[in-house]
Amino acid sequence: MEHCLHAAGRLSRRRFIGGFGVAGLGLWGLSPAALSQTLQTASEAGPAALDAAAQADPVTFLDRVSWGASAEQLQALSRLGATAYLDLQLRVQPGAALPSELAARLAALPVNQPLQALIPPIVREQRALFQARKNDPQAAADTEARLKALNRFKYALAQQAAAQQVWLGLYAPNALQQRLSWFWLNHFNVFRSGNIGPMMGDYTQRVIAPHALGRFRDLLRATMFSPQMLLYLNNAQNARGHVNENYAREVMELHTLGVGSGYTQTDVTNLARALTGLGVDLMDQPVRVRPALRADVWRQGLVVFNPARHDPDPKTVLGYTLEGHGLEEIDEVITLLADHPATARHVSTQLAQYFVADPAPPALVDDMVRRWQTSGGQMAEVLRAMFTSAAFAASLGQPQFKDPMRYVLSALRASLGDEPIRNPQPVLGMLARLGEPLFGRQTPDGYPLNASAWDGSGQLTARFEVARQIGSGAPAMFEPPPAFLRQSAPQVTAEPDEAMAAMTAPQAAPKPPHRPPPDLAHSPVYLAQQNQLSIATLRALAQADNRLRWNTLWLSSPEFMNA
């Protein structure tokens, strides 16, 4: 444990070149001098330098552009080379194939129903129970039991969405698109509380994922017109005469322009006025307005633009006078914010920090901004400029401390075999223990991207325990699915204890037989990484007296936690 906790977050990796070849995978290690010479010419030959750097350290390359190396991804990288591998990953793959059993399981989850079918019945039942509790105090116990059951169902839906993200992170072949989708989920963060939790499956799969590699303008619009964002940042309450500036402020500060980009409080106020009337109808009821405004009513799913709540007076935002009418004003604002040079710089800086280095290299950010402007904000092109840059190739030789999501998923991808896990609950527990539960960030800024937020001693101690759990094979992941994945409707009973029992009762199916710890010392990921391990790490592994201890030491080593 002393080895794995020795300032793991800040250690520089010492290259150890010896007899640990991985010719079977078609990968090899370059000497430090050869790698340095390659990187000196990287600015003139980005793809060539990228291919060489990825060949020198394939595990780190896959850690950067996906949720971590796996045997399958190592084979693909060896076969294609880094440049061709990235070309494939930068293409949108909407139908990325999952194992058939998993694909069927995800398709059947209630959380993946269209929101108009899923949410209004829940909200109507909730409001009816609130009214019943008010009207009939004698039935308070029964009403409370039903409310608790309904709330547990809502929480189960949020857990289903989180489980889906784990399965996609582990097994979806569009690995870069999956990791980028998490970046956008964090950038456009919403918290899973209240009625937002049951809608997180929609937010991940219909709002974020389809636009992850597309135009930023389209992604911004998708989030701005999502019921999750409108509820979370209170724009659903933003109306003429009762302006709520919360969303307008955060969309400028966090989602687009960034702090210090020159916008003023007047800009925030006028943007909020432009967004008045854009709200949510969770009951899916007709919008009642006077006849003169009916043509301006707009609805998409649960999102409604109500012209009676919109401020029609002139507005100026960032020196630009909005000329549209009603919903047209909002489209003007989206274009204004998405195409602003400050947005290109702010978002490019965060992308570079996330994928390359902290702090983001200024010259790299400049290149990304230029590509943003010439491509009209096409994220695939901005990422291509980043990944084929000299800075990215050079960064593979420098440690980047993994946040909890990267660490847990990369450890699992390095450790799991071909059999998909059945129970993602232990994985969700690991993320919660490490302080980064899915959809659990209450503030709109999202989880921090800087390594210093995650490398404290308490985090490292917790990671050692997670490494031990994964190194043991985590047999609980192969047990029958938990109750929240088996639930298709609220479990409503007269007694709270009965409702809880129905939610937590295990399936009748027997648990799988005992599973020994995996042999990670002979795993493809370890074999591909061993040339990059320090002498201290190799010595510690050589002294491990059993498989579990060896697995734990490797998964908690500085080299594995830094990539």
PDB file of all heavy atoms in Angstrom, residues 438-465:
ATOM      1  N   LEU A 438     -22.310   9.419 -10.963  1.00  0.00           N
ATOM      2  CA  LEU A 438     -22.942   9.880 -12.193  1.00  0.00           C
ATOM      3  C   LEU A 438     -24.174  10.714 -11.885  1.00  0.00           C
ATOM      4  O   LEU A 438     -25.004  10.329 -11.052  1.00  0.00           O
ATOM      5  CB  LEU A 438     -23.325   8.692 -13.062  1.00  0.00           C
ATOM      6  CG  LEU A 438     -22.166   8.060 -13.843  1.00  0.00           C
ATOM      7  CD1 LEU A 438     -22.573   6.706 -14.393  1.00  0.00           C
ATOM      8  CD2 LEU A 438     -21.709   8.975 -14.964  1.00  0.00           C
ATOM      9  N   PHE A 439     -24.271  11.871 -12.530  1.00  0.00           N
ATOM     10  CA  PHE A 439     -25.384  12.814 -12.387  1.00  0.00           C
ATOM     11  C   PHE A 439     -25.475  13.349 -10.957  1.00  0.00           C
ATOM     12  O   PHE A 439     -26.522  13.823 -10.540  1.00  0.00           O
ATOM     13  CB  PHE A 439     -26.727  12.181 -12.773  1.00  0.00           C
ATOM     14  CG  PHE A 439     -26.689  11.264 -13.954  1.00  0.00           C
ATOM     15  CD1 PHE A 439     -27.370  10.055 -13.946  1.00  0.00           C
ATOM     16  CD2 PHE A 439     -25.971  11.600 -15.089  1.00  0.00           C
ATOM     17  CE1 PHE A 439     -27.341   9.202 -15.033  1.00  0.00           C
ATOM     18  CE2 PHE A 439     -25.930  10.756 -16.186  1.00  0.00           C
ATOM     19  CZ  PHE A 439     -26.611   9.554 -16.150  1.00  0.00           C
ATOM     20  N   GLY A 440     -24.365  13.302 -10.205  1.00  0.00           N
ATOM     21  CA  GLY A 440     -24.410  13.659  -8.793  1.00  0.00           C
ATOM     22  C   GLY A 440     -23.801  14.999  -8.446  1.00  0.00           C
ATOM     23  O   GLY A 440     -23.709  15.340  -7.270  1.00  0.00           O
ATOM     24  N   ARG A 441     -23.376  15.778  -9.429  1.00  0.00           N
ATOM     25  CA  ARG A 441     -22.803  17.094  -9.160  1.00  0.00           C
ATOM     26  C   ARG A 441     -23.932  18.103  -9.030  1.00  0.00           C
ATOM     27  O   ARG A 441     -24.653  18.385  -9.988  1.00  0.00           O
ATOM     28  CB  ARG A 441     -21.864  17.501 -10.299  1.00  0.00           C
ATOM     29  CG  ARG A 441     -21.208  18.871 -10.123  1.00  0.00           C
ATOM     30  CD  ARG A 441     -20.138  18.870  -9.060  1.00  0.00           C
ATOM     31  NE  ARG A 441     -19.335  20.096  -9.102  1.00  0.00           N
ATOM     32  CZ  ARG A 441     -18.298  20.344  -8.324  1.00  0.00           C
ATOM     33  NH1 ARG A 441     -17.912  19.442  -7.425  1.00  0.00           N
ATOM     34  NH2 ARG A 441     -17.623  21.466  -8.420  1.00  0.00           N
ATOM     35  N   GLN A 442     -24.102  18.678  -7.849  1.00  0.00           N
ATOM     36  CA  GLN A 442     -25.258  19.544  -7.598  1.00  0.00           C
ATOM     37  C   GLN A 442     -25.105  20.912  -8.247  1.00  0.00           C
ATOM     38  O   GLN A 442     -26.107  21.528  -8.604  1.00  0.00           O
ATOM     39  CB  GLN A 442     -25.471  19.694  -6.089  1.00  0.00           C
ATOM     40  CG  GLN A 442     -25.833  18.389  -5.407  1.00  0.00           C
ATOM     41  CD  GLN A 442     -26.248  18.590  -3.962  1.00  0.00           C
ATOM     42  OE1 GLN A 442     -26.799  19.630  -3.600  1.00  0.00           O
ATOM     43  NE2 GLN A 442     -25.990  17.605  -3.122  1.00  0.00           N
ATOM     44  N   THR A 443     -23.881  21.406  -8.393  1.00  0.00           N
ATOM     45  CA  THR A 443     -23.672  22.740  -8.939  1.00  0.00           C
ATOM     46  C   THR A 443     -23.488  22.666 -10.457  1.00  0.00           C
ATOM     47  O   THR A 443     -22.992  21.666 -10.991  1.00  0.00           O
ATOM     48  CB  THR A 443     -22.448  23.399  -8.295  1.00  0.00           C
ATOM     49  OG1 THR A 443     -21.319  22.511  -8.419  1.00  0.00           O
ATOM     50  CG2 THR A 443     -22.704  23.671  -6.823  1.00  0.00           C
ATOM     51  N   PRO A 444     -23.837  23.724 -11.186  1.00  0.00           N
ATOM     52  CA  PRO A 444     -23.830  23.665 -12.655  1.00  0.00           C
ATOM     53  C   PRO A 444     -22.451  23.650 -13.282  1.00  0.00           C
ATOM     54  O   PRO A 444     -22.344  23.448 -14.502  1.00  0.00           O
ATOM     55  CB  PRO A 444     -24.614  24.917 -13.062  1.00  0.00           C
ATOM     56  CG  PRO A 444     -24.504  25.835 -11.915  1.00  0.00           C
ATOM     57  CD  PRO A 444     -24.458  24.965 -10.691  1.00  0.00           C
ATOM     58  N   ASP A 445     -21.392  23.847 -12.499  1.00  0.00           N
ATOM     59  CA  ASP A 445     -20.050  23.876 -13.085  1.00  0.00           C
ATOM     60  C   ASP A 445     -19.525  22.494 -13.435  1.00  0.00           C
ATOM     61  O   ASP A 445     -18.493  22.375 -14.091  1.00  0.00           O
ATOM     62  CB  ASP A 445     -19.069  24.574 -12.133  1.00  0.00           C
ATOM     63  CG  ASP A 445     -19.054  23.965 -10.743  1.00  0.00           C
ATOM     64  OD1 ASP A 445     -19.954  23.166 -10.409  1.00  0.00           O
ATOM     65  OD2 ASP A 445     -18.139  24.301  -9.967  1.00  0.00           O
ATOM     66  N   GLY A 446     -20.207  21.420 -13.044  1.00  0.00           N
ATOM     67  CA  GLY A 446     -19.729  20.080 -13.354  1.00  0.00           C
ATOM     68  C   GLY A 446     -18.545  19.693 -12.483  1.00  0.00           C
ATOM     69  O   GLY A 446     -17.999  20.501 -11.721  1.00  0.00           O
ATOM     70  N   TYR A 447     -18.137  18.433 -12.575  1.00  0.00           N
ATOM     71  CA  TYR A 447     -16.981  17.977 -11.812  1.00  0.00           C
ATOM     72  C   TYR A 447     -15.715  18.644 -12.327  1.00  0.00           C
ATOM     73  O   TYR A 447     -15.578  18.909 -13.538  1.00  0.00           O
ATOM     74  CB  TYR A 447     -16.835  16.461 -11.922  1.00  0.00           C
ATOM     75  CG  TYR A 447     -17.902  15.693 -11.174  1.00  0.00           C
ATOM     76  CD1 TYR A 447     -18.827  14.921 -11.853  1.00  0.00           C
ATOM     77  CD2 TYR A 447     -17.978  15.750  -9.784  1.00  0.00           C
ATOM     78  CE1 TYR A 447     -19.809  14.214 -11.177  1.00  0.00           C
ATOM     79  CE2 TYR A 447     -18.960  15.041  -9.096  1.00  0.00           C
ATOM     80  CZ  TYR A 447     -19.872  14.269  -9.797  1.00  0.00           C
ATOM     81  OH  TYR A 447     -20.842  13.591  -9.123  1.00  0.00           O
ATOM     82  N   PRO A 448     -14.747  18.938 -11.456  1.00  0.00           N
ATOM     83  CA  PRO A 448     -13.526  19.632 -11.893  1.00  0.00           C
ATOM     84  C   PRO A 448     -12.704  18.780 -12.850  1.00  0.00           C
ATOM     85  O   PRO A 448     -12.646  17.546 -12.730  1.00  0.00           O
ATOM     86  CB  PRO A 448     -12.770  19.899 -10.588  1.00  0.00           C
ATOM     87  CG  PRO A 448     -13.334  18.926  -9.598  1.00  0.00           C
ATOM     88  CD  PRO A 448     -14.751  18.688  -9.996  1.00  0.00           C
ATOM     89  N   LEU A 449     -12.042  19.443 -13.808  1.00  0.00           N
ATOM     90  CA  LEU A 449     -11.192  18.763 -14.776  1.00  0.00           C
ATOM     91  C   LEU A 449      -9.735  18.734 -14.333  1.00  0.00           C
ATOM     92  O   LEU A 449      -8.938  17.974 -14.895  1.00  0.00           O
ATOM     93  CB  LEU A 449     -11.289  19.455 -16.140  1.00  0.00           C
ATOM     94  CG  LEU A 449     -12.678  19.512 -16.781  1.00  0.00           C
ATOM     95  CD1 LEU A 449     -12.607  20.254 -18.116  1.00  0.00           C
ATOM     96  CD2 LEU A 449     -13.262  18.127 -16.973  1.00  0.00           C
ATOM     97  N   ASN A 450      -9.356  19.550 -13.357  1.00  0.00           N
ATOM     98  CA  ASN A 450      -7.959  19.615 -12.946  1.00  0.00           C
ATOM     99  C   ASN A 450      -7.600  18.451 -12.031  1.00  0.00           C
ATOM    100  O   ASN A 450      -8.387  18.040 -11.169  1.00  0.00           O
ATOM    101  CB  ASN A 450      -7.668  20.944 -12.238  1.00  0.00           C
ATOM    102  CG  ASN A 450      -8.613  21.204 -11.080  1.00  0.00           C
ATOM    103  OD1 ASN A 450      -9.830  21.214 -11.267  1.00  0.00           O
ATOM    104  ND2 ASN A 450      -8.081  21.417  -9.885  1.00  0.00           N
ATOM    105  N   ALA A 451      -6.412  17.915 -12.213  1.00  0.00           N
ATOM    106  CA  ALA A 451      -5.966  16.738 -11.458  1.00  0.00           C
ATOM    107  C   ALA A 451      -5.892  17.011  -9.965  1.00  0.00           C
ATOM    108  O   ALA A 451      -6.134  16.106  -9.155  1.00  0.00           O
ATOM    109  CB  ALA A 451      -4.596  16.286 -11.976  1.00  0.00           C
ATOM    110  N   SER A 452      -5.565  18.237  -9.576  1.00  0.00           N
ATOM    111  CA  SER A 452      -5.394  18.536  -8.155  1.00  0.00           C
ATOM    112  C   SER A 452      -6.678  18.344  -7.353  1.00  0.00           C
ATOM    113  O   SER A 452      -6.633  18.228  -6.130  1.00  0.00           O
ATOM    114  CB  SER A 452      -4.891  19.975  -7.981  1.00  0.00           C
ATOM    115  OG  SER A 452      -5.825  20.909  -8.522  1.00  0.00           O
ATOM    116  N   ALA A 453      -7.806  18.292  -8.037  1.00  0.00           N
ATOM    117  CA  ALA A 453      -9.075  18.061  -7.334  1.00  0.00           C
ATOM    118  C   ALA A 453      -9.230  16.611  -6.912  1.00  0.00           C
ATOM    119  O   ALA A 453     -10.095  16.290  -6.090  1.00  0.00           O
ATOM    120  CB  ALA A 453     -10.248  18.464  -8.227  1.00  0.00           C
ATOM    121  N   TRP A 454      -8.390  15.710  -7.459  1.00  0.00           N
ATOM    122  CA  TRP A 454      -8.620  14.275  -7.256  1.00  0.00           C
ATOM    123  C   TRP A 454      -7.439  13.531  -6.648  1.00  0.00           C
ATOM    124  O   TRP A 454      -7.542  12.323  -6.423  1.00  0.00           O
ATOM    125  CB  TRP A 454      -8.961  13.628  -8.603  1.00  0.00           C
ATOM    126  CG  TRP A 454     -10.151  14.229  -9.273  1.00  0.00           C
ATOM    127  CD1 TRP A 454     -10.164  14.978 -10.413  1.00  0.00           C
ATOM    128  CD2 TRP A 454     -11.517  14.160  -8.846  1.00  0.00           C
ATOM    129  NE1 TRP A 454     -11.428  15.381 -10.729  1.00  0.00           N
ATOM    130  CE2 TRP A 454     -12.293  14.889  -9.783  1.00  0.00           C
ATOM    131  CE3 TRP A 454     -12.165  13.551  -7.771  1.00  0.00           C
ATOM    132  CZ2 TRP A 454     -13.670  15.025  -9.667  1.00  0.00           C
ATOM    133  CZ3 TRP A 454     -13.542  13.681  -7.651  1.00  0.00           C
ATOM    134  CH2 TRP A 454     -14.278  14.410  -8.588  1.00  0.00           C
ATOM    135  N   ASP A 455      -6.306  14.196  -6.387  1.00  0.00           N
ATOM    136  CA  ASP A 455      -5.119  13.435  -5.995  1.00  0.00           C
ATOM    137  C   ASP A 455      -4.763  13.566  -4.515  1.00  0.00           C
ATOM    138  O   ASP A 455      -3.617  13.363  -4.126  1.00  0.00           O
ATOM    139  CB  ASP A 455      -3.920  13.823  -6.864  1.00  0.00           C
ATOM    140  CG  ASP A 455      -3.511  15.287  -6.705  1.00  0.00           C
ATOM    141  OD1 ASP A 455      -4.146  16.005  -5.904  1.00  0.00           O
ATOM    142  OD2 ASP A 455      -2.559  15.713  -7.379  1.00  0.00           O
ATOM    143  N   GLY A 456      -5.727  13.891  -3.672  1.00  0.00           N
ATOM    144  CA  GLY A 456      -5.475  13.973  -2.247  1.00  0.00           C
ATOM    145  C   GLY A 456      -5.284  12.600  -1.623  1.00  0.00           C
ATOM    146  O   GLY A 456      -5.600  11.559  -2.209  1.00  0.00           O
ATOM    147  N   SER A 457      -4.777  12.561  -0.410  1.00  0.00           N
ATOM    148  CA  SER A 457      -4.469  11.285   0.241  1.00  0.00           C
ATOM    149  C   SER A 457      -5.720  10.438   0.468  1.00  0.00           C
ATOM    150  O   SER A 457      -5.678   9.209   0.338  1.00  0.00           O
ATOM    151  CB  SER A 457      -3.766  11.541   1.579  1.00  0.00           C
ATOM    152  OG  SER A 457      -4.594  12.323   2.436  1.00  0.00           O
ATOM    153  N   GLY A 458      -6.844  11.083   0.805  1.00  0.00           N
ATOM    154  CA  GLY A 458      -8.069  10.317   0.997  1.00  0.00           C
ATOM    155  C   GLY A 458      -8.528   9.642  -0.287  1.00  0.00           C
ATOM    156  O   GLY A 458      -8.981   8.494  -0.284  1.00  0.00           O
ATOM    157  N   GLN A 459      -8.397  10.348  -1.411  1.00  0.00           N
ATOM    158  CA  GLN A 459      -8.751   9.769  -2.704  1.00  0.00           C
ATOM    159  C   GLN A 459      -7.861   8.567  -3.015  1.00  0.00           C
ATOM    160  O   GLN A 459      -8.340   7.533  -3.488  1.00  0.00           O
ATOM    161  CB  GLN A 459      -8.596  10.832  -3.796  1.00  0.00           C
ATOM    162  CG  GLN A 459      -8.774  10.349  -5.210  1.00  0.00           C
ATOM    163  CD  GLN A 459     -10.210  10.170  -5.648  1.00  0.00           C
ATOM    164  OE1 GLN A 459     -10.470   9.541  -6.666  1.00  0.00           O
ATOM    165  NE2 GLN A 459     -11.163  10.706  -4.894  1.00  0.00           N
ATOM    166  N   LEU A 460      -6.572   8.696  -2.747  1.00  0.00           N
ATOM    167  CA  LEU A 460      -5.650   7.610  -3.074  1.00  0.00           C
ATOM    168  C   LEU A 460      -5.920   6.385  -2.209  1.00  0.00           C
ATOM    169  O   LEU A 460      -5.818   5.245  -2.680  1.00  0.00           O
ATOM    170  CB  LEU A 460      -4.211   8.085  -2.907  1.00  0.00           C
ATOM    171  CG  LEU A 460      -3.801   9.249  -3.828  1.00  0.00           C
ATOM    172  CD1 LEU A 460      -2.370   9.673  -3.560  1.00  0.00           C
ATOM    173  CD2 LEU A 460      -3.984   8.867  -5.285  1.00  0.00           C
ATOM    174  N   THR A 461      -6.257   6.594  -0.954  1.00  0.00           N
ATOM    175  CA  THR A 461      -6.614   5.465  -0.092  1.00  0.00           C
ATOM    176  C   THR A 461      -7.854   4.760  -0.622  1.00  0.00           C
ATOM    177  O   THR A 461      -7.909   3.526  -0.691  1.00  0.00           O
ATOM    178  CB  THR A 461      -6.861   5.956   1.346  1.00  0.00           C
ATOM    179  OG1 THR A 461      -5.679   6.593   1.835  1.00  0.00           O
ATOM    180  CG2 THR A 461      -7.234   4.798   2.258  1.00  0.00           C
ATOM    181  N   ALA A 462      -8.853   5.542  -1.021  1.00  0.00           N
ATOM    182  CA  ALA A 462     -10.078   4.953  -1.564  1.00  0.00           C
ATOM    183  C   ALA A 462      -9.787   4.211  -2.869  1.00  0.00           C
ATOM    184  O   ALA A 462     -10.370   3.152  -3.141  1.00  0.00           O
ATOM    185  CB  ALA A 462     -11.133   6.036  -1.785  1.00  0.00           C
ATOM    186  N   ARG A 463      -8.877   4.739  -3.665  1.00  0.00           N
ATOM    187  CA  ARG A 463      -8.545   4.070  -4.929  1.00  0.00           C
ATOM    188  C   ARG A 463      -7.869   2.719  -4.682  1.00  0.00           C
ATOM    189  O   ARG A 463      -8.056   1.777  -5.454  1.00  0.00           O
ATOM    190  CB  ARG A 463      -7.656   4.959  -5.794  1.00  0.00           C
ATOM    191  CG  ARG A 463      -8.408   6.124  -6.386  1.00  0.00           C
ATOM    192  CD  ARG A 463      -7.663   6.779  -7.522  1.00  0.00           C
ATOM    193  NE  ARG A 463      -8.387   7.965  -7.978  1.00  0.00           N
ATOM    194  CZ  ARG A 463      -8.198   8.566  -9.132  1.00  0.00           C
ATOM    195  NH1 ARG A 463      -7.300   8.091  -9.981  1.00  0.00           N
ATOM    196  NH2 ARG A 463      -8.891   9.622  -9.467  1.00  0.00           N
ATOM    197  N   PHE A 464      -7.073   2.637  -3.632  1.00  0.00           N
ATOM    198  CA  PHE A 464      -6.455   1.352  -3.323  1.00  0.00           C
ATOM    199  C   PHE A 464      -7.528   0.309  -3.022  1.00  0.00           C
ATOM    200  O   PHE A 464      -7.435  -0.840  -3.462  1.00  0.00           O
ATOM    201  CB  PHE A 464      -5.509   1.498  -2.140  1.00  0.00           C
ATOM    202  CG  PHE A 464      -4.777   0.229  -1.791  1.00  0.00           C
ATOM    203  CD1 PHE A 464      -3.657  -0.149  -2.511  1.00  0.00           C
ATOM    204  CD2 PHE A 464      -5.221  -0.595  -0.769  1.00  0.00           C
ATOM    205  CE1 PHE A 464      -2.991  -1.327  -2.208  1.00  0.00           C
ATOM    206  CE2 PHE A 464      -4.569  -1.773  -0.464  1.00  0.00           C
ATOM    207  CZ  PHE A 464      -3.446  -2.137  -1.189  1.00  0.00           C
ATOM    208  N   GLU A 465      -8.560   0.705  -2.286  1.00  0.00           N
ATOM    209  CA  GLU A 465      -9.647  -0.231  -1.986  1.00  0.00           C
ATOM    210  C   GLU A 465     -10.419  -0.596  -3.250  1.00  0.00           C
ATOM    211  O   GLU A 465     -10.827  -1.751  -3.432  1.00  0.00           O
ATOM    212  CB  GLU A 465     -10.584   0.387  -0.937  1.00  0.00           C
ATOM    213  CG  GLU A 465      -9.917   0.647   0.414  1.00  0.00           C
ATOM    214  CD  GLU A 465      -9.267  -0.606   0.982  1.00  0.00           C
ATOM    215  OE1 GLU A 465      -9.877  -1.690   0.862  1.00  0.00           O
ATOM    216  OE2 GLU A 465      -8.160  -0.509   1.536  1.00  0.00           O
TER     217      GLU A 465
END
